[in-house]
Amino acid sequence: MWFDESRLDDESALAGSDLLLRSLAESGARVRRAAGDAREAIDEALRRSEGSRPRAVIAAGPDSRLLRAVLEPWCPVPFVAWPGPALPGWAGSLDLVVILSPERSDPAAASAVAEAVRRGCQVVVACQSDSMVAEHAAGRWSTILPIVSGDQLATAVVMLDYLHRLGLGPESDADEVATALDDMAISCSPHRDIAINPAKMLAIGLADANPLVWGGSVLAARAARRVAESMRRASGRSALAGDAEHLLPVLEATRARNVFDDPFADDGGELRTVLLVLEDGSDDQVGREQRGRLLAAAESRGVRVETMAAESGSEVARYASLLLLGSYTAAYLQLALTTT
C-alpha cells in the first residue's frame, strides 16, 4: 500500500468518495435541521420543568462523555456521566436524566432510559422518534427531542441547547456551530486543490505515519479520540490518542531519526511516528506545560509535528470544527492510500 498524492486532486478518484465527502459537507445542514426539528419539544420540556433545577444531572448512555466534556466546568448542580446500561443507585425523581441516542437501535441507551422511567426520574432523550430508545422512553416525566439524521454531533447540539436554556450549561448556539461546520467544509472541499486545502495537506503529512493525537483542553482531547478513531478506520494503521502522560513514553521510545539513513534501505518503508496536536484556542497553564513537554520530546527524537487548529467561536463550535477537519483528513487519507 502506498500513498498516491495525485488522487487528492483527481476528479475521477474524488468521485469514488463522493458519498462520504458529501456527507461531511452536509454536517452544518444536519445541525440546523436537528435544531429546528427539536425546537417545539425543547420548549415543552422547559415548560414542564417550570424553571426549577434538578438535584443532579445524569448523562446516561454511550455518548455521555461528550456531554460531560462540555458541562462539567459549568453545571451548577452535581453532574455525572454514566455510560453503562444502568443508572447510579441514588438516581430518583429529583434528578434529571439526559440521553443522546442518534442510532435507531441502541440497547444500552434503551436500558438506561427504561430504568430512568421506572424510577420516576425527569427524562429528556434526543433520539429518532421511531427508535428503540423512544419506545422505552414513554412516561409521564419524559420528553423526546426528535432528530432525524442520526448524526452524533447534531444530536449533542440539540441536547446542549436544552441544557443551556435550563441554566445548566454554557451557550451552544446551533447556528454558530452549523456556520463553523460550513466554513470548515468550504476550506476542506474536494474542489480546493492541495495548496490551499488544510485537510489534504494534513493527509499528505500523515501519509507515512502512525499518528499520536493530543488535545490540550477537555473538548480538544475528546476530539482527538474521535479523530484517531476515524484515522484508524480510514487507513487500517494504528493511531493513538491520549493524555500527555500516556503519549510521552511512546515519543521517548521512538528511534531517533538519523539524517544519514538510507531511504531506500529495507526499512525505508517503515511508518514514522508523527505528533498531531489539536489546537482549540484554550490557554490554561496545565495545557501549555503538557504541550511544551510533548513538543520537546518530539524535537529530541526527530518526530515531526502536525497541527489542527480551530480557535474561533464557542467551545462547541471549535470542537465541531476540529472533528470535521479530522474527518476530512481521514477521508483524503483513505482516498490516496492505494495498492495499485
Side-chain angles (χ1 to χ4, degrees):
M1 183 172 288
W2 61 289
F3 188 88
D4 184 357
E5 180 180 320
S6 66
R7 291 174 60 84
L8 297 178
D9 282 338
D10 182 87
E11 291 187 6
S12 60
L14 289 167
S17 298
D18 181 68
L19 287 178
L20 173 58
L21 295 172
R22 188 182 298 272
S23 176
L24 295 178
E26 293 171 349
S27 297
R30 288 195 293 271
V31 169
R32 287 192 179 90
R33 180 179 181 183
D37 289 345
R39 187 171 292 115
E40 291 185 5
I42 290 176
D43 291 340
E44 174 61 29
L46 292 171
R47 282 194 296 270
R48 180 174 294 178
S49 69
E50 298 179 346
S52 61
R53 286 180 176 175
R55 176 180 63 178
V57 179
I58 304 162
D63 287 330
S64 59
R65 292 185 180 91
L66 174 57
L67 294 180
R68 179 176 63 187
V70 179
L71 289 175
E72 268 189 337
W74 293 83
C75 192
V77 301
F79 179 91
V80 178
W82 204 264
L87 294 177
W90 49 263
S93 60
L94 298 177
D95 304 308
L96 171 63
V97 176
V98 296
I99 298 177
L100 304 180
S101 181
E103 301 296 332
R104 193 174 298 278
S105 178
D106 190 341
S111 176
V113 75
E115 180 70 8
V117 171
R118 185 185 69 80
R119 296 194 196 182
C121 300
Q122 305 167 58
V123 180
V124 178
V125 186
C127 66
Q128 300 184 52
S129 57
D130 58 349
S131 66
M132 174 190 296
V133 173
E135 293 176 4
H136 287 77
R140 181 180 179 184
W141 306 110
S142 302
T143 300
I144 294 175
L145 308 182
I147 59 169
V148 177
S149 67
D151 183 286
Q152 184 191 48
L153 180 60
T155 306
V157 169
V158 165
M159 183 63 75
L160 289 169
D161 181 38
Y162 162 71
L163 292 170
H164 166 67
R165 293 177 62 185
L166 193 60
L168 299 175
E171 184 174 2
S172 178
D173 182 23
D175 190 61
E176 180 187 20
V177 175
T179 299
L181 290 169
D182 289 343
D183 292 343
M184 185 60 71
I186 292 171
S187 297
C188 300
S189 167
H191 304 297
R192 289 171 66 94
D193 63 38
I194 291 172
I196 55 174
N197 191 314
K200 291 181 180 180
M201 292 287 288
L202 273 170
I204 293 171
L206 300 174
D208 60 349
N210 282 327
L212 302 178
V213 192
W214 177 80
S217 69
V218 175
L219 273 177
R222 179 69 185 170
R225 288 171 171 80
R226 295 285 307 279
V227 169
E229 179 184 352
S230 65
M231 289 182 177
R232 286 194 297 270
R233 290 179 177 176
S235 65
R237 301 171 177 173
S238 64
L240 178 65
D243 298 331
E245 58 266 27
H246 300 141
L247 300 183
L248 277 169
V250 182
L251 284 172
E252 292 165 352
T254 302
R255 181 175 65 89
R257 186 179 179 187
N258 190 331
V259 295
F260 298 106
D261 284 347
D262 182 359
F264 299 102
D266 290 340
D267 62 349
E270 179 182 354
L271 295 176
R272 301 174 180 174
T273 298
V274 170
L275 177 62
L276 178 58
V277 176
L278 273 59
E279 299 278 10
D280 68 348
S282 61
D283 190 32
D284 64 278
Q285 183 177 353
V286 174
R288 288 196 304 272
E289 188 271 338
Q290 291 181 341
R291 186 180 187 276
R293 291 169 61 198
L294 287 168
L295 294 181
E299 183 179 6
S300 70
R301 310 307 291 176
V303 171
R304 190 172 75 251
V305 178
E306 299 283 351
T307 302
M308 285 185 180
E311 301 182 352
S312 60
S314 67
E315 288 182 326
V316 179
R318 298 196 301 268
Y319 167 82
S321 296
L322 288 173
L323 206 58
L324 188 58
L325 176 54
S327 297
Y328 266 109
T329 300
Y332 291 133
L333 189 62
Q334 183 178 36
L335 172 66
L337 286 172
T338 178
T339 56
T340 58

PDB file of all heavy atoms in Angstrom, residues 60-88:
ATOM      1  N   ALA A  60     -26.671   9.674  30.695  1.00  0.00           N
ATOM      2  CA  ALA A  60     -26.602   8.219  30.600  1.00  0.00           C
ATOM      3  C   ALA A  60     -26.376   7.796  29.155  1.00  0.00           C
ATOM      4  O   ALA A  60     -26.582   8.557  28.213  1.00  0.00           O
ATOM      5  CB  ALA A  60     -27.885   7.593  31.144  1.00  0.00           C
ATOM      6  N   GLY A  61     -25.939   6.568  28.984  1.00  0.00           N
ATOM      7  CA  GLY A  61     -25.765   6.015  27.654  1.00  0.00           C
ATOM      8  C   GLY A  61     -24.354   6.185  27.122  1.00  0.00           C
ATOM      9  O   GLY A  61     -23.516   6.886  27.699  1.00  0.00           O
ATOM     10  N   PRO A  62     -24.068   5.542  25.988  1.00  0.00           N
ATOM     11  CA  PRO A  62     -22.702   5.502  25.445  1.00  0.00           C
ATOM     12  C   PRO A  62     -22.106   6.862  25.092  1.00  0.00           C
ATOM     13  O   PRO A  62     -20.891   7.015  25.088  1.00  0.00           O
ATOM     14  CB  PRO A  62     -22.869   4.616  24.189  1.00  0.00           C
ATOM     15  CG  PRO A  62     -24.100   3.823  24.431  1.00  0.00           C
ATOM     16  CD  PRO A  62     -25.009   4.703  25.224  1.00  0.00           C
ATOM     17  N   ASP A  63     -22.926   7.854  24.749  1.00  0.00           N
ATOM     18  CA  ASP A  63     -22.401   9.151  24.334  1.00  0.00           C
ATOM     19  C   ASP A  63     -22.343  10.167  25.473  1.00  0.00           C
ATOM     20  O   ASP A  63     -22.190  11.366  25.242  1.00  0.00           O
ATOM     21  CB  ASP A  63     -23.259   9.725  23.197  1.00  0.00           C
ATOM     22  CG  ASP A  63     -23.034   8.987  21.890  1.00  0.00           C
ATOM     23  OD1 ASP A  63     -21.906   8.489  21.688  1.00  0.00           O
ATOM     24  OD2 ASP A  63     -23.974   8.897  21.080  1.00  0.00           O
ATOM     25  N   SER A  64     -22.434   9.702  26.709  1.00  0.00           N
ATOM     26  CA  SER A  64     -22.490  10.626  27.844  1.00  0.00           C
ATOM     27  C   SER A  64     -21.199  11.403  28.049  1.00  0.00           C
ATOM     28  O   SER A  64     -21.206  12.500  28.607  1.00  0.00           O
ATOM     29  CB  SER A  64     -22.820   9.850  29.120  1.00  0.00           C
ATOM     30  OG  SER A  64     -21.837   8.852  29.374  1.00  0.00           O
ATOM     31  N   ARG A  65     -20.072  10.871  27.594  1.00  0.00           N
ATOM     32  CA  ARG A  65     -18.784  11.539  27.849  1.00  0.00           C
ATOM     33  C   ARG A  65     -18.671  12.868  27.110  1.00  0.00           C
ATOM     34  O   ARG A  65     -17.984  13.774  27.565  1.00  0.00           O
ATOM     35  CB  ARG A  65     -17.636  10.606  27.474  1.00  0.00           C
ATOM     36  CG  ARG A  65     -17.509   9.394  28.394  1.00  0.00           C
ATOM     37  CD  ARG A  65     -16.282   8.566  28.051  1.00  0.00           C
ATOM     38  NE  ARG A  65     -16.154   7.409  28.924  1.00  0.00           N
ATOM     39  CZ  ARG A  65     -16.665   6.209  28.658  1.00  0.00           C
ATOM     40  NH1 ARG A  65     -17.350   6.022  27.541  1.00  0.00           N
ATOM     41  NH2 ARG A  65     -16.512   5.202  29.500  1.00  0.00           N
ATOM     42  N   LEU A  66     -19.323  12.981  25.957  1.00  0.00           N
ATOM     43  CA  LEU A  66     -19.292  14.258  25.240  1.00  0.00           C
ATOM     44  C   LEU A  66     -20.012  15.332  26.048  1.00  0.00           C
ATOM     45  O   LEU A  66     -19.523  16.463  26.176  1.00  0.00           O
ATOM     46  CB  LEU A  66     -19.931  14.110  23.864  1.00  0.00           C
ATOM     47  CG  LEU A  66     -20.096  15.401  23.055  1.00  0.00           C
ATOM     48  CD1 LEU A  66     -18.753  16.100  22.854  1.00  0.00           C
ATOM     49  CD2 LEU A  66     -20.752  15.118  21.709  1.00  0.00           C
ATOM     50  N   LEU A  67     -21.170  15.002  26.612  1.00  0.00           N
ATOM     51  CA  LEU A  67     -21.876  15.967  27.445  1.00  0.00           C
ATOM     52  C   LEU A  67     -21.038  16.333  28.665  1.00  0.00           C
ATOM     53  O   LEU A  67     -21.001  17.496  29.083  1.00  0.00           O
ATOM     54  CB  LEU A  67     -23.225  15.397  27.879  1.00  0.00           C
ATOM     55  CG  LEU A  67     -24.256  15.166  26.774  1.00  0.00           C
ATOM     56  CD1 LEU A  67     -25.533  14.599  27.362  1.00  0.00           C
ATOM     57  CD2 LEU A  67     -24.551  16.454  26.022  1.00  0.00           C
ATOM     58  N   ARG A  68     -20.365  15.364  29.249  1.00  0.00           N
ATOM     59  CA  ARG A  68     -19.522  15.654  30.406  1.00  0.00           C
ATOM     60  C   ARG A  68     -18.415  16.632  30.047  1.00  0.00           C
ATOM     61  O   ARG A  68     -18.106  17.548  30.816  1.00  0.00           O
ATOM     62  CB  ARG A  68     -18.908  14.362  30.951  1.00  0.00           C
ATOM     63  CG  ARG A  68     -17.987  14.600  32.152  1.00  0.00           C
ATOM     64  CD  ARG A  68     -17.475  13.295  32.723  1.00  0.00           C
ATOM     65  NE  ARG A  68     -16.650  12.577  31.764  1.00  0.00           N
ATOM     66  CZ  ARG A  68     -16.191  11.348  31.961  1.00  0.00           C
ATOM     67  NH1 ARG A  68     -16.503  10.693  33.065  1.00  0.00           N
ATOM     68  NH2 ARG A  68     -15.436  10.754  31.049  1.00  0.00           N
ATOM     69  N   ALA A  69     -17.802  16.457  28.871  1.00  0.00           N
ATOM     70  CA  ALA A  69     -16.707  17.333  28.472  1.00  0.00           C
ATOM     71  C   ALA A  69     -17.159  18.784  28.389  1.00  0.00           C
ATOM     72  O   ALA A  69     -16.396  19.707  28.702  1.00  0.00           O
ATOM     73  CB  ALA A  69     -16.142  16.880  27.126  1.00  0.00           C
ATOM     74  N   VAL A  70     -18.412  19.010  27.987  1.00  0.00           N
ATOM     75  CA  VAL A  70     -18.921  20.380  27.863  1.00  0.00           C
ATOM     76  C   VAL A  70     -19.445  20.909  29.189  1.00  0.00           C
ATOM     77  O   VAL A  70     -19.201  22.059  29.572  1.00  0.00           O
ATOM     78  CB  VAL A  70     -20.043  20.444  26.796  1.00  0.00           C
ATOM     79  CG1 VAL A  70     -20.595  21.857  26.679  1.00  0.00           C
ATOM     80  CG2 VAL A  70     -19.520  19.974  25.443  1.00  0.00           C
ATOM     81  N   LEU A  71     -20.161  20.067  29.931  1.00  0.00           N
ATOM     82  CA  LEU A  71     -20.938  20.553  31.065  1.00  0.00           C
ATOM     83  C   LEU A  71     -20.191  20.605  32.391  1.00  0.00           C
ATOM     84  O   LEU A  71     -20.506  21.440  33.239  1.00  0.00           O
ATOM     85  CB  LEU A  71     -22.188  19.680  31.237  1.00  0.00           C
ATOM     86  CG  LEU A  71     -23.270  19.842  30.175  1.00  0.00           C
ATOM     87  CD1 LEU A  71     -24.376  18.839  30.411  1.00  0.00           C
ATOM     88  CD2 LEU A  71     -23.828  21.255  30.192  1.00  0.00           C
ATOM     89  N   GLU A  72     -19.251  19.709  32.612  1.00  0.00           N
ATOM     90  CA  GLU A  72     -18.632  19.628  33.939  1.00  0.00           C
ATOM     91  C   GLU A  72     -18.109  20.973  34.468  1.00  0.00           C
ATOM     92  O   GLU A  72     -18.295  21.286  35.643  1.00  0.00           O
ATOM     93  CB  GLU A  72     -17.518  18.584  33.942  1.00  0.00           C
ATOM     94  CG  GLU A  72     -17.999  17.214  34.362  1.00  0.00           C
ATOM     95  CD  GLU A  72     -16.877  16.227  34.581  1.00  0.00           C
ATOM     96  OE1 GLU A  72     -15.782  16.425  34.019  1.00  0.00           O
ATOM     97  OE2 GLU A  72     -17.099  15.242  35.300  1.00  0.00           O
ATOM     98  N   PRO A  73     -17.446  21.791  33.619  1.00  0.00           N
ATOM     99  CA  PRO A  73     -16.948  23.066  34.174  1.00  0.00           C
ATOM    100  C   PRO A  73     -18.054  24.088  34.442  1.00  0.00           C
ATOM    101  O   PRO A  73     -17.796  25.103  35.080  1.00  0.00           O
ATOM    102  CB  PRO A  73     -15.999  23.573  33.069  1.00  0.00           C
ATOM    103  CG  PRO A  73     -15.746  22.401  32.175  1.00  0.00           C
ATOM    104  CD  PRO A  73     -16.978  21.571  32.242  1.00  0.00           C
ATOM    105  N   TRP A  74     -19.273  23.835  33.952  1.00  0.00           N
ATOM    106  CA  TRP A  74     -20.321  24.857  34.001  1.00  0.00           C
ATOM    107  C   TRP A  74     -21.501  24.492  34.899  1.00  0.00           C
ATOM    108  O   TRP A  74     -22.117  25.379  35.479  1.00  0.00           O
ATOM    109  CB  TRP A  74     -20.873  25.098  32.583  1.00  0.00           C
ATOM    110  CG  TRP A  74     -19.917  25.706  31.635  1.00  0.00           C
ATOM    111  CD1 TRP A  74     -18.958  25.064  30.893  1.00  0.00           C
ATOM    112  CD2 TRP A  74     -19.789  27.087  31.302  1.00  0.00           C
ATOM    113  NE1 TRP A  74     -18.268  25.954  30.116  1.00  0.00           N
ATOM    114  CE2 TRP A  74     -18.758  27.214  30.355  1.00  0.00           C
ATOM    115  CE3 TRP A  74     -20.466  28.233  31.717  1.00  0.00           C
ATOM    116  CZ2 TRP A  74     -18.380  28.425  29.811  1.00  0.00           C
ATOM    117  CZ3 TRP A  74     -20.091  29.455  31.172  1.00  0.00           C
ATOM    118  CH2 TRP A  74     -19.051  29.544  30.240  1.00  0.00           C
ATOM    119  N   CYS A  75     -21.847  23.227  34.959  1.00  0.00           N
ATOM    120  CA  CYS A  75     -23.111  22.819  35.573  1.00  0.00           C
ATOM    121  C   CYS A  75     -23.167  23.222  37.052  1.00  0.00           C
ATOM    122  O   CYS A  75     -22.280  22.858  37.832  1.00  0.00           O
ATOM    123  CB  CYS A  75     -23.282  21.308  35.432  1.00  0.00           C
ATOM    124  SG  CYS A  75     -24.949  20.745  35.854  1.00  0.00           S
ATOM    125  N   PRO A  76     -24.207  23.952  37.475  1.00  0.00           N
ATOM    126  CA  PRO A  76     -24.289  24.417  38.862  1.00  0.00           C
ATOM    127  C   PRO A  76     -24.793  23.354  39.839  1.00  0.00           C
ATOM    128  O   PRO A  76     -24.859  23.607  41.043  1.00  0.00           O
ATOM    129  CB  PRO A  76     -25.279  25.583  38.771  1.00  0.00           C
ATOM    130  CG  PRO A  76     -26.168  25.212  37.629  1.00  0.00           C
ATOM    131  CD  PRO A  76     -25.297  24.498  36.643  1.00  0.00           C
ATOM    132  N   VAL A  77     -25.184  22.185  39.344  1.00  0.00           N
ATOM    133  CA  VAL A  77     -25.605  21.079  40.206  1.00  0.00           C
ATOM    134  C   VAL A  77     -24.689  19.891  39.922  1.00  0.00           C
ATOM    135  O   VAL A  77     -24.000  19.861  38.893  1.00  0.00           O
ATOM    136  CB  VAL A  77     -27.083  20.701  39.956  1.00  0.00           C
ATOM    137  CG1 VAL A  77     -27.998  21.887  40.220  1.00  0.00           C
ATOM    138  CG2 VAL A  77     -27.284  20.175  38.534  1.00  0.00           C
ATOM    139  N   PRO A  78     -24.635  18.906  40.800  1.00  0.00           N
ATOM    140  CA  PRO A  78     -23.778  17.737  40.536  1.00  0.00           C
ATOM    141  C   PRO A  78     -24.094  17.103  39.198  1.00  0.00           C
ATOM    142  O   PRO A  78     -25.259  16.933  38.832  1.00  0.00           O
ATOM    143  CB  PRO A  78     -24.115  16.798  41.704  1.00  0.00           C
ATOM    144  CG  PRO A  78     -24.556  17.705  42.800  1.00  0.00           C
ATOM    145  CD  PRO A  78     -25.277  18.840  42.129  1.00  0.00           C
ATOM    146  N   PHE A  79     -23.037  16.759  38.459  1.00  0.00           N
ATOM    147  CA  PHE A  79     -23.181  16.185  37.116  1.00  0.00           C
ATOM    148  C   PHE A  79     -22.422  14.861  37.060  1.00  0.00           C
ATOM    149  O   PHE A  79     -21.265  14.784  37.478  1.00  0.00           O
ATOM    150  CB  PHE A  79     -22.634  17.149  36.063  1.00  0.00           C
ATOM    151  CG  PHE A  79     -22.732  16.609  34.661  1.00  0.00           C
ATOM    152  CD1 PHE A  79     -23.851  16.859  33.897  1.00  0.00           C
ATOM    153  CD2 PHE A  79     -21.721  15.828  34.123  1.00  0.00           C
ATOM    154  CE1 PHE A  79     -23.961  16.341  32.613  1.00  0.00           C
ATOM    155  CE2 PHE A  79     -21.818  15.317  32.849  1.00  0.00           C
ATOM    156  CZ  PHE A  79     -22.941  15.564  32.088  1.00  0.00           C
ATOM    157  N   VAL A  80     -23.076  13.839  36.520  1.00  0.00           N
ATOM    158  CA  VAL A  80     -22.469  12.509  36.438  1.00  0.00           C
ATOM    159  C   VAL A  80     -22.646  11.976  35.025  1.00  0.00           C
ATOM    160  O   VAL A  80     -23.752  12.017  34.461  1.00  0.00           O
ATOM    161  CB  VAL A  80     -23.123  11.531  37.436  1.00  0.00           C
ATOM    162  CG1 VAL A  80     -22.514  10.141  37.290  1.00  0.00           C
ATOM    163  CG2 VAL A  80     -22.955  12.022  38.859  1.00  0.00           C
ATOM    164  N   ALA A  81     -21.559  11.504  34.434  1.00  0.00           N
ATOM    165  CA  ALA A  81     -21.641  10.774  33.164  1.00  0.00           C
ATOM    166  C   ALA A  81     -21.672   9.292  33.495  1.00  0.00           C
ATOM    167  O   ALA A  81     -20.799   8.778  34.200  1.00  0.00           O
ATOM    168  CB  ALA A  81     -20.440  11.102  32.278  1.00  0.00           C
ATOM    169  N   TRP A  82     -22.669   8.596  32.973  1.00  0.00           N
ATOM    170  CA  TRP A  82     -22.879   7.185  33.309  1.00  0.00           C
ATOM    171  C   TRP A  82     -23.063   6.408  32.004  1.00  0.00           C
ATOM    172  O   TRP A  82     -24.180   6.202  31.539  1.00  0.00           O
ATOM    173  CB  TRP A  82     -24.112   7.041  34.207  1.00  0.00           C
ATOM    174  CG  TRP A  82     -24.106   5.803  35.045  1.00  0.00           C
ATOM    175  CD1 TRP A  82     -24.705   4.624  34.765  1.00  0.00           C
ATOM    176  CD2 TRP A  82     -23.473   5.643  36.322  1.00  0.00           C
ATOM    177  NE1 TRP A  82     -24.483   3.731  35.780  1.00  0.00           N
ATOM    178  CE2 TRP A  82     -23.736   4.331  36.747  1.00  0.00           C
ATOM    179  CE3 TRP A  82     -22.707   6.485  37.129  1.00  0.00           C
ATOM    180  CZ2 TRP A  82     -23.264   3.832  37.948  1.00  0.00           C
ATOM    181  CZ3 TRP A  82     -22.239   5.990  38.324  1.00  0.00           C
ATOM    182  CH2 TRP A  82     -22.509   4.677  38.734  1.00  0.00           C
ATOM    183  N   PRO A  83     -21.948   5.976  31.374  1.00  0.00           N
ATOM    184  CA  PRO A  83     -22.031   5.397  30.032  1.00  0.00           C
ATOM    185  C   PRO A  83     -22.601   3.986  29.956  1.00  0.00           C
ATOM    186  O   PRO A  83     -22.872   3.485  28.871  1.00  0.00           O
ATOM    187  CB  PRO A  83     -20.571   5.409  29.567  1.00  0.00           C
ATOM    188  CG  PRO A  83     -19.775   5.371  30.823  1.00  0.00           C
ATOM    189  CD  PRO A  83     -20.564   6.130  31.842  1.00  0.00           C
ATOM    190  N   GLY A  84     -22.799   3.331  31.088  1.00  0.00           N
ATOM    191  CA  GLY A  84     -23.310   1.963  31.071  1.00  0.00           C
ATOM    192  C   GLY A  84     -24.806   1.894  30.827  1.00  0.00           C
ATOM    193  O   GLY A  84     -25.498   2.913  30.717  1.00  0.00           O
ATOM    194  N   PRO A  85     -25.364   0.677  30.788  1.00  0.00           N
ATOM    195  CA  PRO A  85     -26.791   0.490  30.503  1.00  0.00           C
ATOM    196  C   PRO A  85     -27.687   0.622  31.721  1.00  0.00           C
ATOM    197  O   PRO A  85     -28.838   0.205  31.694  1.00  0.00           O
ATOM    198  CB  PRO A  85     -26.833  -0.939  29.949  1.00  0.00           C
ATOM    199  CG  PRO A  85     -25.713  -1.632  30.647  1.00  0.00           C
ATOM    200  CD  PRO A  85     -24.627  -0.603  30.822  1.00  0.00           C
ATOM    201  N   ALA A  86     -27.192   1.185  32.839  1.00  0.00           N
ATOM    202  CA  ALA A  86     -27.980   1.333  34.061  1.00  0.00           C
ATOM    203  C   ALA A  86     -27.837   2.762  34.563  1.00  0.00           C
ATOM    204  O   ALA A  86     -27.386   3.651  33.841  1.00  0.00           O
ATOM    205  CB  ALA A  86     -27.513   0.326  35.110  1.00  0.00           C
ATOM    206  N   LEU A  87     -28.209   3.004  35.813  1.00  0.00           N
ATOM    207  CA  LEU A  87     -28.108   4.329  36.441  1.00  0.00           C
ATOM    208  C   LEU A  87     -27.470   4.190  37.813  1.00  0.00           C
ATOM    209  O   LEU A  87     -27.468   3.097  38.397  1.00  0.00           O
ATOM    210  CB  LEU A  87     -29.508   4.945  36.600  1.00  0.00           C
ATOM    211  CG  LEU A  87     -30.287   5.311  35.341  1.00  0.00           C
ATOM    212  CD1 LEU A  87     -31.665   5.837  35.738  1.00  0.00           C
ATOM    213  CD2 LEU A  87     -29.540   6.339  34.513  1.00  0.00           C
ATOM    214  N   PRO A  88     -26.941   5.285  38.377  1.00  0.00           N
ATOM    215  CA  PRO A  88     -26.448   5.231  39.759  1.00  0.00           C
ATOM    216  C   PRO A  88     -27.573   4.828  40.712  1.00  0.00           C
ATOM    217  O   PRO A  88     -28.748   5.152  40.472  1.00  0.00           O
ATOM    218  CB  PRO A  88     -25.977   6.664  40.027  1.00  0.00           C
ATOM    219  CG  PRO A  88     -25.808   7.286  38.688  1.00  0.00           C
ATOM    220  CD  PRO A  88     -26.768   6.619  37.776  1.00  0.00           C
TER     221      PRO A  88
END
